[in-house]
């Protein structure tokens, strides 16, 4: 039970920090202090492609935030010790889908920016942690989806066993 409480607390902390970060990003836009790390340019130099990168990044961030929201809901239900409830299974699957989509969108955005730099004649071979985050989110999303499917199967077996007794 203590691990479930710790899990719920950590997920809440991450969710609120990211939510505050989203609010901060939205309020910083008018002051033109935003900087896209992958593109290495400030907001005053942005043209249409950079604005589209920003909008897609913001959409991916909101998807990630929704994934954390469903993970919070799952953790709340987990505290009730009903590990095979439908709400845990559904919220875990929704969270996994959101993390999976966030990872895919972020990876496509990262690849698009790298290809555009290559098209501009800038070729750089560096080890970049920005690629590992979308990959990790995709793996976590797939794990949550697989885990929700396993819990769904276990719930069916549990219900079948309860009927036979």
């Amino acid at each position: 039970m203590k691990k479930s409480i710790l899990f719920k607390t950590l997920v809440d902390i991450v969710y609120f920090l990211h939510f505050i970060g989203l609010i901060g990003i939205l309020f910083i836009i008018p002051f033109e202090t935003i900087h896209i790390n992958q593109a290495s340019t400030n907001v005053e130099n942005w043209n249409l492609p950079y604005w589209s990168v920003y909008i897609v990044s913001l959409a991916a961030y909101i998807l990630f935030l929704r994934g954390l929201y469903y993970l919070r809901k799952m953790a709340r239900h987990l505290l009730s010790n009903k590990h095979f409830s439908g709400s845990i299974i559904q919220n875990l699957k929704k969270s996994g889908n959101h993390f999976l989509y966030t990872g895919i969108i972020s990876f496509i955005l990262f690849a698009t920016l790298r290809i555009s730099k290559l098209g501009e004649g800038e070729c750089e071979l560096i080890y970049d942690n920005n690629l590992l985050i979308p990959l990790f989110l995709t793996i976590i999303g797939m794990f949550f989806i697989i885990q929700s499917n396993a819990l769904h199967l276990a719930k069916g077996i549990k219900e079948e066993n309860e009927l036979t007794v």
Side-chain angles (χ1 to χ4, degrees):
M1 186 68 169
K2 290 183 181 182
K3 291 179 184 176
S4 297
I5 293 171
L6 178 63
F7 175 71
K8 170 80 168 91
T9 304
L10 290 174
V11 170
D12 284 341
I13 290 170
V14 169
Y15 177 77
F16 287 118
L17 287 176
H18 277 282
F19 192 76
I20 291 169
L22 177 66
I23 292 171
I25 288 171
L26 294 176
F27 282 121
I28 288 175
I29 293 172
F31 299 113
E32 297 182 351
T33 57
I34 297 176
H35 184 80
I36 297 178
N37 289 338
Q38 295 93 344
S40 300
T41 183
N42 288 325
V43 71
E44 57 264 357
N45 299 331
W46 285 7
N47 52 17
L48 184 61
Y50 290 126
W51 278 105
S52 61
V53 165
Y54 173 72
I55 290 170
V56 171
S57 296
L58 191 61
Y61 191 80
I62 290 170
L63 270 175
F64 176 73
L65 202 57
R66 282 184 52 99
L68 282 176
Y69 171 74
Y70 287 120
L71 193 62
R72 283 184 68 223
K73 284 179 70 172
M74 189 274 306
R76 188 177 326 125
H77 292 292
L78 194 64
L79 291 177
S80 66
N81 281 335
K82 297 179 183 176
H83 299 289
F84 299 108
S85 70
S87 59
I88 286 181
I89 295 168
Q90 288 174 342
N91 287 323
L92 192 60
K93 188 168 195 154
K94 287 179 183 178
S95 179
N97 283 329
H98 281 81
F99 287 153
L100 177 67
Y101 298 146
T102 301
I104 290 171
I105 290 171
S106 298
F107 181 76
I108 290 171
L109 188 63
F110 179 82
T112 303
L113 285 172
R114 290 293 173 190
I115 290 170
S116 70
K117 277 188 172 184
L118 191 61
E120 294 173 359
E122 295 178 29
C123 182
E124 50 185 20
L125 298 172
I126 58 171
Y127 176 76
D128 196 1
N129 284 337
N130 290 333
L131 181 60
L132 296 178
I133 294 170
L135 182 63
F136 183 73
L137 279 174
T138 304
I139 291 169
I140 291 296
M142 288 299 296
F143 176 75
F144 285 171
I145 293 169
I146 292 168
Q147 191 68 24
S148 71
N149 290 338
L151 283 174
H152 183 68
L153 289 173
K155 179 184 174 190
I157 292 171
K158 180 182 178 228
E159 289 172 353
E160 184 178 308
N161 284 341
E162 288 174 354
L163 290 175
T164 59
V165 173

